[in-house]
């Protein structure tokens, strides 16, 4: 479900290999994400370009992973969300919680 595309000193670029991110995937997604955080001890930049649908349970898994990352001085960054998902994140104000960028290069420029 999660494919590590690139390992950098400060972050891992990870592809979310799902089109529908819903209840049936939320627990496994959260486990894989927390496992990556625990083993790599770096921020996770999630490439969400393939994801066309998310539900509340999947969003809850994202928030849980972010809460796990914060005490480790790490972050969970969302990259390339499709327009509908980006609009949803803004509607429920998760754009105030997560750093969201159009792609890896935009994130590198903004975060450094």
């Amino acid at each position: 479900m999660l494919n590590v595309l690139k390992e950098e000193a400060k972050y891992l670029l990870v592809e979310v290999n799902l089109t529908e991110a819903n209840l049936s995937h939320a627990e496994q997604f959260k486990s894989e994400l927390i496992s990556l955080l625990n083993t790599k001890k770096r921020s996770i930049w999630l490439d969400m370009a393939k994801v066309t649908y998310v539900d509340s349970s999947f969003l809850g898994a994202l928030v849980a992973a972010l809460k796990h990352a914060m005490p480790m001085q790490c972050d969970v960054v969302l990259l390339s969300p499709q327009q509908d998902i980006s609009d949803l994140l803004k509607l429920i104000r998760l754009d105030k919680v997560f750093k969201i960028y159009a792609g890896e290069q935009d994130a590198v420029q903004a975060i450094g």
Side-chain angles (χ1 to χ4, degrees):
M1 174 177 317
L2 296 178
N3 300 325
V4 177
L5 300 176
K6 185 193 292 187
E7 290 194 36
E8 295 289 338
K10 294 184 179 180
Y11 67 91
L12 294 176
L13 179 61
V14 178
E15 176 185 49
V16 180
N17 201 10
L18 291 171
T19 52
E20 292 197 9
N22 55 32
L23 176 62
S24 62
H25 303 290
E27 196 58 41
Q28 181 184 351
F29 170 77
K30 182 172 85 171
S31 294
E32 287 183 26
L33 196 50
I34 287 173
S35 177
L36 277 174
L37 285 163
N38 288 338
T39 57
K40 301 296 185 173
K41 308 231 186 292
R42 283 180 247 170
S43 292
I44 306 290
W45 292 11
L46 290 173
D47 181 346
M48 298 186 62
K50 292 182 179 180
V51 181
T52 60
Y53 171 83
V54 295
D55 72 2
S56 60
S57 60
F58 195 83
L59 292 173
L62 272 173
V63 171
L66 179 62
K67 287 176 77 175
H68 185 84
M70 292 170 78
M72 303 168 65
Q73 308 292 309
C74 294
D75 203 354
V76 176
V77 176
L78 308 181
L79 304 177
S80 309
Q82 295 199 7
Q83 189 63 50
D84 288 347
I85 294 170
S86 183
D87 292 345
L88 174 65
L89 293 169
K90 288 177 187 161
L91 179 69
I92 60 176
R93 301 185 58 87
L94 282 179
D95 63 324
K96 307 295 184 206
V97 175
F98 288 97
K99 295 176 183 141
I100 304 169
Y101 300 99
E104 182 186 7
Q105 292 300 32
D106 289 346
V108 167
Q109 289 176 351
I111 298 172

